[in-house]
Amino acid sequence: MSRAIVAVAFVVALIALYPYVSNISTASSLKGSYVFKWSEIPIEKRGTLYEESLKTVTKFNNAVKVLLEIAGIFVVILTVIEYYKYYKIHKEEVE
Amino acid sequence: MMLKRFSWHQRLAHFVGSVSGMMLLITGLPIMFPEHLGWVFGIFGGSTVTMFLHRVFAVILIFSFAYFGTYFVLERIVRGRGDSNIKNFGLSAEFISEVVAGAVRDILWTLGLRRERPKFGKYDWIMVSDIYLLPVLAFIEIITGTIMWFPRSFDFVTSNPGLFFVVRTIHAGVAFFLLLFVLAHAGILHLTPGNFPINMSIFSGKISRRKAEVEHEKWVEVAEEVEGEEKKSSSKLCYVFGAITIVNLIALAYVPFAMRNEWLAGLRVSGDGIVTFALGLGVVTLIVYVIASVIAFVKGIKS
Ligand code: HEM
Ligand code: HEM
């Protein structure tokens, strides 16, 4: 049974990898089809699209910044608490 | 006396996932913070090579996500949960409230506000949280990374190139959080008294019965006994390295406050001593962990 599980998981992984491996030549950003350029957008649409995306990007930038500020403080507090917990546990284990 | 804590697949999954994840951080962070981490490009031989390596490790991460993800889900369906305390794939309200209650009681005990430490099964509340959070974060990185790798395959990017930068901000934000995670995770599991210099459980698959009796009380009775010798460590050096990691985390927690919203360029940080110190020490620590993981994994196979 476990061989069958390995086989199925392997097939799933190969299928998942196919699009990446078949395009590995694009893996160096110099060669690949990197960033889509504004110049490829029709000139009459460019202005409004730019304005619009600027708004969306700003929203996300600000949201990610706030989330990281909170996450940083949270991780520091949790790490200090957990470190102290292992200190207490170790005292118990030694006894 | 030792107990069997992790299966071969669990150890391999942790090894492949964590080493590729840390290498993705090492090759990705200098793109996010070129002013502070430019020296990393030098190690790999330039930014083009570094970006190429980022995609190579991305392929390894995607493989491990797809392979081990499928394997663990199928194993669970076919064989049941075994000695794990995670019931119903962790999705029932009962299980979630058990985890939350465990967290609250555990923290209260640590702070001296509760007499008895709650008893845990194989995975305590923080481990359960890690087991669910990490695959979700890896998945977000895979989706956003794929969009950045093949922007032309995604209609929303070709119809509005500006949205590419939203994707990049999310990718970079999650990456920064993962840096905090790895330092906290290894700091708690390795740099603490009793664990320092290294907690071999995830590498050898074994834990001492004595340790499990205190840390995973409810699991001991269902755990399988295995051969092996326990190594005791009692070096006081753990406090020095523990302090270094905590100082590093505090300095890193300051970094988001120094970030400025630079429109399409994303969140940028200018030259700043604390930021340079925090990121530099963080990346050096990651390099040490990658090397330590490889050595420990090889030792674990032999043991
Ligand atoms: C643990 C997982 C990962 C981490 C920590 C990570 C980290 C990073 C970071 C910090 C950046 C720089 C962002 C910026 O420009 O400010 C980046 C860029 C990038 N990442 Fe990732 N990444 C991860 C996974 C992936 C995956 C799975 C893929 C692909 C499927 C990927 C593809 C990319 C691409 C295409 C870029 C654009 C920069 C370039 O041209 O090299 N990443 N990554
Ligand atoms: C990207 C990096 C990493 C990820 C995503 C990761 C993820 C995880 C997860 C999900 C677990 C199971 C839950 C838990 O015990 O918290 C775990 C366990 C563990 N990890 Fe990591 N890990 C990473 C890096 C490391 C490193 C660098 C080390 C040490 C050098 C390490 C050592 C351990 C140990 C010892 C355990 C087992 C704890 C136990 O006895 O239950 N991990 N890791």
Side-chain angles (χ1 to χ4, degrees), chain B residues 21-55:
Chain B
M22 289 187 285
M23 288 307 297
L24 282 160
L25 278 169
I26 295 169
T27 53
L29 289 172
I31 305 170
M32 190 176 172
F33 302 102
E35 272 180 62
H36 316 83
L37 292 172
W39 57 270
V40 179
F41 290 132
I43 301 182
F44 295 110
S47 61
T48 313
V49 185
T50 311
M51 286 169 166
F52 174 75
L53 287 176
H54 193 77
R55 286 160 174 79

PDB file of all heavy atoms in Angstrom, chain B residues 21-55:
ATOM      1  N   GLY B  21      13.378  26.027   1.325  1.00  0.00           N
ATOM      2  CA  GLY B  21      12.776  27.273   1.829  1.00  0.00           C
ATOM      3  C   GLY B  21      13.843  28.263   2.278  1.00  0.00           C
ATOM      4  O   GLY B  21      13.781  29.454   1.965  1.00  0.00           O
ATOM      5  N   MET B  22      14.850  27.764   2.994  1.00  0.00           N
ATOM      6  CA  MET B  22      15.904  28.672   3.469  1.00  0.00           C
ATOM      7  C   MET B  22      16.750  29.175   2.302  1.00  0.00           C
ATOM      8  O   MET B  22      17.155  30.339   2.280  1.00  0.00           O
ATOM      9  CB  MET B  22      16.762  27.972   4.529  1.00  0.00           C
ATOM     10  CG  MET B  22      15.999  27.791   5.839  1.00  0.00           C
ATOM     11  SD  MET B  22      17.015  27.143   7.192  1.00  0.00           S
ATOM     12  CE  MET B  22      17.176  25.438   6.742  1.00  0.00           C
ATOM     13  N   MET B  23      17.007  28.306   1.305  1.00  0.00           N
ATOM     14  CA  MET B  23      17.769  28.757   0.141  1.00  0.00           C
ATOM     15  C   MET B  23      16.957  29.784  -0.665  1.00  0.00           C
ATOM     16  O   MET B  23      17.524  30.717  -1.242  1.00  0.00           O
ATOM     17  CB  MET B  23      18.156  27.570  -0.752  1.00  0.00           C
ATOM     18  CG  MET B  23      19.228  26.671  -0.158  1.00  0.00           C
ATOM     19  SD  MET B  23      20.738  27.519   0.381  1.00  0.00           S
ATOM     20  CE  MET B  23      21.353  28.174  -1.159  1.00  0.00           C
ATOM     21  N   LEU B  24      15.635  29.639  -0.681  1.00  0.00           N
ATOM     22  CA  LEU B  24      14.801  30.639  -1.363  1.00  0.00           C
ATOM     23  C   LEU B  24      14.877  31.973  -0.628  1.00  0.00           C
ATOM     24  O   LEU B  24      14.882  33.042  -1.251  1.00  0.00           O
ATOM     25  CB  LEU B  24      13.353  30.148  -1.452  1.00  0.00           C
ATOM     26  CG  LEU B  24      13.112  29.113  -2.555  1.00  0.00           C
ATOM     27  CD1 LEU B  24      11.857  28.311  -2.300  1.00  0.00           C
ATOM     28  CD2 LEU B  24      13.025  29.804  -3.909  1.00  0.00           C
ATOM     29  N   LEU B  25      14.955  31.915   0.699  1.00  0.00           N
ATOM     30  CA  LEU B  25      15.112  33.165   1.458  1.00  0.00           C
ATOM     31  C   LEU B  25      16.477  33.789   1.171  1.00  0.00           C
ATOM     32  O   LEU B  25      16.585  34.996   0.941  1.00  0.00           O
ATOM     33  CB  LEU B  25      14.996  32.879   2.962  1.00  0.00           C
ATOM     34  CG  LEU B  25      13.581  32.770   3.530  1.00  0.00           C
ATOM     35  CD1 LEU B  25      13.615  32.222   4.953  1.00  0.00           C
ATOM     36  CD2 LEU B  25      12.910  34.146   3.534  1.00  0.00           C
ATOM     37  N   ILE B  26      17.518  32.958   1.179  1.00  0.00           N
ATOM     38  CA  ILE B  26      18.875  33.482   0.972  1.00  0.00           C
ATOM     39  C   ILE B  26      19.015  34.088  -0.425  1.00  0.00           C
ATOM     40  O   ILE B  26      19.667  35.123  -0.601  1.00  0.00           O
ATOM     41  CB  ILE B  26      19.926  32.361   1.198  1.00  0.00           C
ATOM     42  CG1 ILE B  26      19.897  31.903   2.668  1.00  0.00           C
ATOM     43  CG2 ILE B  26      21.331  32.824   0.818  1.00  0.00           C
ATOM     44  CD1 ILE B  26      20.695  30.639   2.945  1.00  0.00           C
ATOM     45  N   THR B  27      18.378  33.469  -1.441  1.00  0.00           N
ATOM     46  CA  THR B  27      18.504  34.006  -2.798  1.00  0.00           C
ATOM     47  C   THR B  27      17.451  35.075  -3.106  1.00  0.00           C
ATOM     48  O   THR B  27      17.628  35.853  -4.041  1.00  0.00           O
ATOM     49  CB  THR B  27      18.383  32.882  -3.859  1.00  0.00           C
ATOM     50  OG1 THR B  27      17.173  32.152  -3.615  1.00  0.00           O
ATOM     51  CG2 THR B  27      19.556  31.922  -3.801  1.00  0.00           C
ATOM     52  N   GLY B  28      16.368  35.117  -2.327  1.00  0.00           N
ATOM     53  CA  GLY B  28      15.300  36.094  -2.597  1.00  0.00           C
ATOM     54  C   GLY B  28      15.474  37.407  -1.851  1.00  0.00           C
ATOM     55  O   GLY B  28      15.238  38.485  -2.399  1.00  0.00           O
ATOM     56  N   LEU B  29      15.902  37.331  -0.589  1.00  0.00           N
ATOM     57  CA  LEU B  29      16.008  38.554   0.214  1.00  0.00           C
ATOM     58  C   LEU B  29      16.947  39.617  -0.378  1.00  0.00           C
ATOM     59  O   LEU B  29      16.643  40.808  -0.278  1.00  0.00           O
ATOM     60  CB  LEU B  29      16.414  38.214   1.661  1.00  0.00           C
ATOM     61  CG  LEU B  29      15.323  37.513   2.483  1.00  0.00           C
ATOM     62  CD1 LEU B  29      15.881  37.045   3.835  1.00  0.00           C
ATOM     63  CD2 LEU B  29      14.118  38.418   2.722  1.00  0.00           C
ATOM     64  N   PRO B  30      18.071  39.237  -1.008  1.00  0.00           N
ATOM     65  CA  PRO B  30      18.913  40.287  -1.597  1.00  0.00           C
ATOM     66  C   PRO B  30      18.225  41.040  -2.745  1.00  0.00           C
ATOM     67  O   PRO B  30      18.603  42.167  -3.045  1.00  0.00           O
ATOM     68  CB  PRO B  30      20.147  39.532  -2.121  1.00  0.00           C
ATOM     69  CG  PRO B  30      20.034  38.145  -1.653  1.00  0.00           C
ATOM     70  CD  PRO B  30      18.693  37.912  -1.096  1.00  0.00           C
ATOM     71  N   ILE B  31      17.211  40.429  -3.372  1.00  0.00           N
ATOM     72  CA  ILE B  31      16.462  41.152  -4.412  1.00  0.00           C
ATOM     73  C   ILE B  31      15.574  42.189  -3.733  1.00  0.00           C
ATOM     74  O   ILE B  31      15.383  43.301  -4.213  1.00  0.00           O
ATOM     75  CB  ILE B  31      15.580  40.179  -5.238  1.00  0.00           C
ATOM     76  CG1 ILE B  31      16.433  39.051  -5.825  1.00  0.00           C
ATOM     77  CG2 ILE B  31      14.832  40.926  -6.340  1.00  0.00           C
ATOM     78  CD1 ILE B  31      15.616  37.928  -6.446  1.00  0.00           C
ATOM     79  N   MET B  32      15.062  41.822  -2.559  1.00  0.00           N
ATOM     80  CA  MET B  32      14.163  42.710  -1.821  1.00  0.00           C
ATOM     81  C   MET B  32      14.956  43.838  -1.130  1.00  0.00           C
ATOM     82  O   MET B  32      14.470  44.965  -1.033  1.00  0.00           O
ATOM     83  CB  MET B  32      13.416  41.861  -0.786  1.00  0.00           C
ATOM     84  CG  MET B  32      12.285  42.542  -0.077  1.00  0.00           C
ATOM     85  SD  MET B  32      11.480  41.321   1.007  1.00  0.00           S
ATOM     86  CE  MET B  32      10.365  42.393   1.907  1.00  0.00           C
ATOM     87  N   PHE B  33      16.157  43.500  -0.644  1.00  0.00           N
ATOM     88  CA  PHE B  33      16.976  44.477   0.092  1.00  0.00           C
ATOM     89  C   PHE B  33      18.380  44.577  -0.513  1.00  0.00           C
ATOM     90  O   PHE B  33      19.367  44.248   0.140  1.00  0.00           O
ATOM     91  CB  PHE B  33      17.117  44.047   1.562  1.00  0.00           C
ATOM     92  CG  PHE B  33      15.827  43.884   2.293  1.00  0.00           C
ATOM     93  CD1 PHE B  33      15.293  42.616   2.523  1.00  0.00           C
ATOM     94  CD2 PHE B  33      15.138  44.991   2.784  1.00  0.00           C
ATOM     95  CE1 PHE B  33      14.101  42.460   3.223  1.00  0.00           C
ATOM     96  CE2 PHE B  33      13.946  44.841   3.482  1.00  0.00           C
ATOM     97  CZ  PHE B  33      13.418  43.574   3.703  1.00  0.00           C
ATOM     98  N   PRO B  34      18.480  45.061  -1.766  1.00  0.00           N
ATOM     99  CA  PRO B  34      19.793  45.065  -2.439  1.00  0.00           C
ATOM    100  C   PRO B  34      20.829  45.929  -1.725  1.00  0.00           C
ATOM    101  O   PRO B  34      22.009  45.599  -1.715  1.00  0.00           O
ATOM    102  CB  PRO B  34      19.479  45.606  -3.841  1.00  0.00           C
ATOM    103  CG  PRO B  34      18.160  46.271  -3.717  1.00  0.00           C
ATOM    104  CD  PRO B  34      17.421  45.605  -2.612  1.00  0.00           C
ATOM    105  N   GLU B  35      20.377  47.020  -1.101  1.00  0.00           N
ATOM    106  CA  GLU B  35      21.339  47.912  -0.437  1.00  0.00           C
ATOM    107  C   GLU B  35      21.975  47.257   0.779  1.00  0.00           C
ATOM    108  O   GLU B  35      23.098  47.572   1.152  1.00  0.00           O
ATOM    109  CB  GLU B  35      20.612  49.168   0.067  1.00  0.00           C
ATOM    110  CG  GLU B  35      20.519  50.273  -0.935  1.00  0.00           C
ATOM    111  CD  GLU B  35      19.774  51.446  -0.305  1.00  0.00           C
ATOM    112  OE1 GLU B  35      20.259  51.994   0.699  1.00  0.00           O
ATOM    113  OE2 GLU B  35      18.684  51.774  -0.814  1.00  0.00           O
ATOM    114  N   HIS B  36      21.207  46.381   1.442  1.00  0.00           N
ATOM    115  CA  HIS B  36      21.689  45.797   2.697  1.00  0.00           C
ATOM    116  C   HIS B  36      22.295  44.418   2.500  1.00  0.00           C
ATOM    117  O   HIS B  36      23.123  43.988   3.274  1.00  0.00           O
ATOM    118  CB  HIS B  36      20.545  45.696   3.702  1.00  0.00           C
ATOM    119  CG  HIS B  36      19.698  46.917   3.741  1.00  0.00           C
ATOM    120  ND1 HIS B  36      18.681  47.135   2.834  1.00  0.00           N
ATOM    121  CD2 HIS B  36      19.733  47.998   4.539  1.00  0.00           C
ATOM    122  CE1 HIS B  36      18.123  48.309   3.089  1.00  0.00           C
ATOM    123  NE2 HIS B  36      18.735  48.849   4.111  1.00  0.00           N
ATOM    124  N   LEU B  37      21.822  43.691   1.484  1.00  0.00           N
ATOM    125  CA  LEU B  37      22.251  42.305   1.314  1.00  0.00           C
ATOM    126  C   LEU B  37      22.956  42.075  -0.026  1.00  0.00           C
ATOM    127  O   LEU B  37      23.047  40.945  -0.497  1.00  0.00           O
ATOM    128  CB  LEU B  37      21.049  41.360   1.441  1.00  0.00           C
ATOM    129  CG  LEU B  37      20.428  41.264   2.837  1.00  0.00           C
ATOM    130  CD1 LEU B  37      19.126  40.462   2.790  1.00  0.00           C
ATOM    131  CD2 LEU B  37      21.384  40.618   3.834  1.00  0.00           C
ATOM    132  N   GLY B  38      23.468  43.156  -0.602  1.00  0.00           N
ATOM    133  CA  GLY B  38      24.151  43.040  -1.894  1.00  0.00           C
ATOM    134  C   GLY B  38      25.277  42.021  -1.877  1.00  0.00           C
ATOM    135  O   GLY B  38      25.526  41.337  -2.875  1.00  0.00           O
ATOM    136  N   TRP B  39      25.940  41.865  -0.727  1.00  0.00           N
ATOM    137  CA  TRP B  39      27.067  40.918  -0.620  1.00  0.00           C
ATOM    138  C   TRP B  39      26.661  39.477  -0.909  1.00  0.00           C
ATOM    139  O   TRP B  39      27.481  38.667  -1.316  1.00  0.00           O
ATOM    140  CB  TRP B  39      27.724  41.027   0.755  1.00  0.00           C
ATOM    141  CG  TRP B  39      26.789  40.808   1.923  1.00  0.00           C
ATOM    142  CD1 TRP B  39      26.058  41.759   2.566  1.00  0.00           C
ATOM    143  CD2 TRP B  39      26.482  39.573   2.580  1.00  0.00           C
ATOM    144  NE1 TRP B  39      25.307  41.195   3.577  1.00  0.00           N
ATOM    145  CE2 TRP B  39      25.554  39.846   3.615  1.00  0.00           C
ATOM    146  CE3 TRP B  39      26.899  38.240   2.400  1.00  0.00           C
ATOM    147  CZ2 TRP B  39      25.035  38.869   4.452  1.00  0.00           C
ATOM    148  CZ3 TRP B  39      26.368  37.265   3.245  1.00  0.00           C
ATOM    149  CH2 TRP B  39      25.459  37.583   4.254  1.00  0.00           C
ATOM    150  N   VAL B  40      25.380  39.164  -0.727  1.00  0.00           N
ATOM    151  CA  VAL B  40      24.944  37.784  -0.989  1.00  0.00           C
ATOM    152  C   VAL B  40      25.097  37.459  -2.481  1.00  0.00           C
ATOM    153  O   VAL B  40      25.481  36.347  -2.851  1.00  0.00           O
ATOM    154  CB  VAL B  40      23.488  37.572  -0.531  1.00  0.00           C
ATOM    155  CG1 VAL B  40      23.041  36.147  -0.839  1.00  0.00           C
ATOM    156  CG2 VAL B  40      23.350  37.861   0.948  1.00  0.00           C
ATOM    157  N   PHE B  41      24.808  38.458  -3.344  1.00  0.00           N
ATOM    158  CA  PHE B  41      24.985  38.230  -4.790  1.00  0.00           C
ATOM    159  C   PHE B  41      26.422  37.814  -5.066  1.00  0.00           C
ATOM    160  O   PHE B  41      26.687  36.953  -5.909  1.00  0.00           O
ATOM    161  CB  PHE B  41      24.677  39.502  -5.588  1.00  0.00           C
ATOM    162  CG  PHE B  41      23.227  39.885  -5.598  1.00  0.00           C
ATOM    163  CD1 PHE B  41      22.836  41.194  -5.329  1.00  0.00           C
ATOM    164  CD2 PHE B  41      22.245  38.937  -5.893  1.00  0.00           C
ATOM    165  CE1 PHE B  41      21.496  41.557  -5.354  1.00  0.00           C
ATOM    166  CE2 PHE B  41      20.905  39.300  -5.916  1.00  0.00           C
ATOM    167  CZ  PHE B  41      20.527  40.612  -5.641  1.00  0.00           C
ATOM    168  N   GLY B  42      27.366  38.427  -4.334  1.00  0.00           N
ATOM    169  CA  GLY B  42      28.780  38.119  -4.506  1.00  0.00           C
ATOM    170  C   GLY B  42      29.090  36.653  -4.238  1.00  0.00           C
ATOM    171  O   GLY B  42      29.857  36.035  -4.974  1.00  0.00           O
ATOM    172  N   ILE B  43      28.459  36.093  -3.197  1.00  0.00           N
ATOM    173  CA  ILE B  43      28.710  34.685  -2.848  1.00  0.00           C
ATOM    174  C   ILE B  43      28.339  33.774  -4.013  1.00  0.00           C
ATOM    175  O   ILE B  43      29.040  32.818  -4.322  1.00  0.00           O
ATOM    176  CB  ILE B  43      27.863  34.257  -1.623  1.00  0.00           C
ATOM    177  CG1 ILE B  43      28.192  35.121  -0.414  1.00  0.00           C
ATOM    178  CG2 ILE B  43      28.058  32.772  -1.311  1.00  0.00           C
ATOM    179  CD1 ILE B  43      27.415  34.716   0.824  1.00  0.00           C
ATOM    180  N   PHE B  44      27.205  34.081  -4.648  1.00  0.00           N
ATOM    181  CA  PHE B  44      26.721  33.192  -5.715  1.00  0.00           C
ATOM    182  C   PHE B  44      27.280  33.550  -7.085  1.00  0.00           C
ATOM    183  O   PHE B  44      27.067  32.833  -8.050  1.00  0.00           O
ATOM    184  CB  PHE B  44      25.189  33.208  -5.768  1.00  0.00           C
ATOM    185  CG  PHE B  44      24.542  32.633  -4.535  1.00  0.00           C
ATOM    186  CD1 PHE B  44      23.869  33.449  -3.638  1.00  0.00           C
ATOM    187  CD2 PHE B  44      24.619  31.271  -4.265  1.00  0.00           C
ATOM    188  CE1 PHE B  44      23.280  32.920  -2.498  1.00  0.00           C
ATOM    189  CE2 PHE B  44      24.035  30.743  -3.125  1.00  0.00           C
ATOM    190  CZ  PHE B  44      23.367  31.569  -2.238  1.00  0.00           C
ATOM    191  N   GLY B  45      27.954  34.672  -7.176  1.00  0.00           N
ATOM    192  CA  GLY B  45      28.546  35.046  -8.458  1.00  0.00           C
ATOM    193  C   GLY B  45      27.634  35.936  -9.297  1.00  0.00           C
ATOM    194  O   GLY B  45      27.507  35.741 -10.505  1.00  0.00           O
ATOM    195  N   GLY B  46      27.001  36.905  -8.651  1.00  0.00           N
ATOM    196  CA  GLY B  46      26.214  37.887  -9.397  1.00  0.00           C
ATOM    197  C   GLY B  46      24.720  37.702  -9.266  1.00  0.00           C
ATOM    198  O   GLY B  46      24.239  36.638  -8.857  1.00  0.00           O
ATOM    199  N   SER B  47      23.968  38.760  -9.615  1.00  0.00           N
ATOM    200  CA  SER B  47      22.528  38.721  -9.391  1.00  0.00           C
ATOM    201  C   SER B  47      21.816  37.797 -10.384  1.00  0.00           C
ATOM    202  O   SER B  47      20.799  37.188 -10.053  1.00  0.00           O
ATOM    203  CB  SER B  47      21.933  40.127  -9.446  1.00  0.00           C
ATOM    204  OG  SER B  47      22.156  40.681 -10.710  1.00  0.00           O
ATOM    205  N   THR B  48      22.361  37.644 -11.587  1.00  0.00           N
ATOM    206  CA  THR B  48      21.702  36.762 -12.554  1.00  0.00           C
ATOM    207  C   THR B  48      21.724  35.317 -12.070  1.00  0.00           C
ATOM    208  O   THR B  48      20.720  34.607 -12.128  1.00  0.00           O
ATOM    209  CB  THR B  48      22.401  36.856 -13.932  1.00  0.00           C
ATOM    210  OG1 THR B  48      22.577  38.233 -14.232  1.00  0.00           O
ATOM    211  CG2 THR B  48      21.571  36.208 -15.012  1.00  0.00           C
ATOM    212  N   VAL B  49      22.894  34.888 -11.580  1.00  0.00           N
ATOM    213  CA  VAL B  49      23.007  33.525 -11.071  1.00  0.00           C
ATOM    214  C   VAL B  49      22.077  33.340  -9.857  1.00  0.00           C
ATOM    215  O   VAL B  49      21.402  32.321  -9.719  1.00  0.00           O
ATOM    216  CB  VAL B  49      24.469  33.210 -10.649  1.00  0.00           C
ATOM    217  CG1 VAL B  49      24.604  31.745 -10.246  1.00  0.00           C
ATOM    218  CG2 VAL B  49      25.436  33.538 -11.761  1.00  0.00           C
ATOM    219  N   THR B  50      22.058  34.342  -8.983  1.00  0.00           N
ATOM    220  CA  THR B  50      21.233  34.254  -7.781  1.00  0.00           C
ATOM    221  C   THR B  50      19.762  34.083  -8.149  1.00  0.00           C
ATOM    222  O   THR B  50      19.060  33.251  -7.581  1.00  0.00           O
ATOM    223  CB  THR B  50      21.434  35.517  -6.915  1.00  0.00           C
ATOM    224  OG1 THR B  50      22.833  35.737  -6.760  1.00  0.00           O
ATOM    225  CG2 THR B  50      20.796  35.353  -5.546  1.00  0.00           C
ATOM    226  N   MET B  51      19.300  34.868  -9.125  1.00  0.00           N
ATOM    227  CA  MET B  51      17.901  34.760  -9.550  1.00  0.00           C
ATOM    228  C   MET B  51      17.621  33.414 -10.212  1.00  0.00           C
ATOM    229  O   MET B  51      16.549  32.842 -10.049  1.00  0.00           O
ATOM    230  CB  MET B  51      17.565  35.881 -10.521  1.00  0.00           C
ATOM    231  CG  MET B  51      17.418  37.216  -9.826  1.00  0.00           C
ATOM    232  SD  MET B  51      17.333  38.504 -11.064  1.00  0.00           S
ATOM    233  CE  MET B  51      16.758  39.873 -10.081  1.00  0.00           C
ATOM    234  N   PHE B  52      18.618  32.913 -10.943  1.00  0.00           N
ATOM    235  CA  PHE B  52      18.470  31.590 -11.551  1.00  0.00           C
ATOM    236  C   PHE B  52      18.331  30.538 -10.453  1.00  0.00           C
ATOM    237  O   PHE B  52      17.433  29.686 -10.492  1.00  0.00           O
ATOM    238  CB  PHE B  52      19.681  31.284 -12.454  1.00  0.00           C
ATOM    239  CG  PHE B  52      19.684  29.891 -13.001  1.00  0.00           C
ATOM    240  CD1 PHE B  52      18.827  29.543 -14.039  1.00  0.00           C
ATOM    241  CD2 PHE B  52      20.514  28.915 -12.470  1.00  0.00           C
ATOM    242  CE1 PHE B  52      18.811  28.246 -14.542  1.00  0.00           C
ATOM    243  CE2 PHE B  52      20.504  27.615 -12.963  1.00  0.00           C
ATOM    244  CZ  PHE B  52      19.649  27.284 -14.000  1.00  0.00           C
ATOM    245  N   LEU B  53      19.211  30.621  -9.436  1.00  0.00           N
ATOM    246  CA  LEU B  53      19.151  29.662  -8.329  1.00  0.00           C
ATOM    247  C   LEU B  53      17.811  29.752  -7.597  1.00  0.00           C
ATOM    248  O   LEU B  53      17.264  28.754  -7.146  1.00  0.00           O
ATOM    249  CB  LEU B  53      20.298  29.916  -7.341  1.00  0.00           C
ATOM    250  CG  LEU B  53      21.687  29.505  -7.836  1.00  0.00           C
ATOM    251  CD1 LEU B  53      22.745  29.903  -6.819  1.00  0.00           C
ATOM    252  CD2 LEU B  53      21.738  27.996  -8.086  1.00  0.00           C
ATOM    253  N   HIS B  54      17.259  30.981  -7.504  1.00  0.00           N
ATOM    254  CA  HIS B  54      15.959  31.146  -6.848  1.00  0.00           C
ATOM    255  C   HIS B  54      14.912  30.274  -7.536  1.00  0.00           C
ATOM    256  O   HIS B  54      14.105  29.624  -6.898  1.00  0.00           O
ATOM    257  CB  HIS B  54      15.549  32.620  -6.878  1.00  0.00           C
ATOM    258  CG  HIS B  54      14.392  32.943  -5.969  1.00  0.00           C
ATOM    259  ND1 HIS B  54      14.543  33.063  -4.611  1.00  0.00           N
ATOM    260  CD2 HIS B  54      13.068  33.141  -6.215  1.00  0.00           C
ATOM    261  CE1 HIS B  54      13.364  33.333  -4.059  1.00  0.00           C
ATOM    262  NE2 HIS B  54      12.444  33.386  -5.013  1.00  0.00           N
ATOM    263  N   ARG B  55      14.957  30.244  -8.853  1.00  0.00           N
ATOM    264  CA  ARG B  55      13.980  29.429  -9.588  1.00  0.00           C
ATOM    265  C   ARG B  55      14.277  27.938  -9.470  1.00  0.00           C
ATOM    266  O   ARG B  55      13.358  27.117  -9.457  1.00  0.00           O
ATOM    267  CB  ARG B  55      13.937  29.869 -11.044  1.00  0.00           C
ATOM    268  CG  ARG B  55      13.221  31.217 -11.207  1.00  0.00           C
ATOM    269  CD  ARG B  55      13.633  31.839 -12.528  1.00  0.00           C
ATOM    270  NE  ARG B  55      12.907  33.054 -12.844  1.00  0.00           N
ATOM    271  CZ  ARG B  55      13.172  34.246 -12.333  1.00  0.00           C
ATOM    272  NH1 ARG B  55      14.111  34.379 -11.425  1.00  0.00           N
ATOM    273  NH2 ARG B  55      12.493  35.319 -12.717  1.00  0.00           N
TER     274      ARG B  55
END
